[in-house]
Amino acid sequence: MGKIRIENIRVYANHGCLREEGLIGSDYLVTIEVLANLREAALSDKLADTVDYVHINHIVKEEMEIKSKLLEHVGNRIIDRVFRELDAVDEISITVSKVNPPIGGDVEMVTIELNKKRS
């Protein structure tokens, strides 16, 4: 078993419950960690034998383009799509952070974290 982590994927998106958030948008950071059997890839040195992190980055960017009111919702969509498209992934942990959230205070970011095992 091994881990692949893609940290702080930067995207601009329009998530949020407030009308202004959907219009103006905000900066987001997404970190995703997947657990998979990486033994074969470690020996073969072939991309086909591992989890392609370029593919994961592509999934994150595409799913972040689809508006959601809640970060939990977009995070769950990303998880479900990774499981659908990448059979080698056994477990996923994801954080989705909204940078400078409009919550009436001096807050750098708000972050949700989801974890899921393949069923």
Side-chain angles (χ1 to χ4, degrees):
M1 193 63 67
K3 292 180 185 180
I4 295 176
R5 184 179 310 120
I6 307 169
E7 296 186 55
N8 293 327
I9 302 167
R10 297 177 192 275
V11 294
Y12 189 84
N14 298 77
H15 305 298
C17 293
L18 301 176
R19 183 176 179 272
E20 294 79 18
E21 292 175 297
L23 296 172
I24 297 168
S26 186
D27 291 312
Y28 293 83
L29 297 172
V30 178
T31 295
I32 186 165
E33 179 177 279
V34 299
L35 273 63
N37 184 343
L38 303 178
R39 243 175 299 154
E40 191 173 341
L43 297 173
S44 73
D45 198 28
K46 294 180 183 175
L47 181 59
D49 293 335
T50 192
V51 176
D52 184 354
Y53 52 80
V54 173
H55 191 152
I56 293 173
N57 185 56
H58 177 76
I59 290 170
V60 168
K61 287 184 174 183
E62 280 192 353
E63 292 299 323
M64 288 296 289
E65 288 178 2
I66 302 168
K67 287 184 183 183
S68 290
K69 290 180 183 174
L70 301 177
L71 299 180
E72 295 88 340
H73 186 258
V74 70
N76 191 63
R77 276 202 329 265
I78 292 167
I79 288 172
D80 288 346
R81 186 161 166 204
V82 169
F83 279 141
R84 273 195 317 272
E85 295 183 16
L86 299 168
D87 292 335
V89 174
D90 295 320
E91 193 172 335
I92 300 173
S93 177
I94 188 170
T95 62
V96 182
S97 302
K98 181 183 284 193
V99 180
N100 296 318
I103 60 175
D106 186 13
V107 177
E108 181 180 354
M109 70 180 74
V110 64
T111 303
I112 63 96
E113 180 174 347
L114 299 173
N115 302 286
K116 193 171 186 180
K117 292 182 181 181
R118 185 180 293 279
S119 50

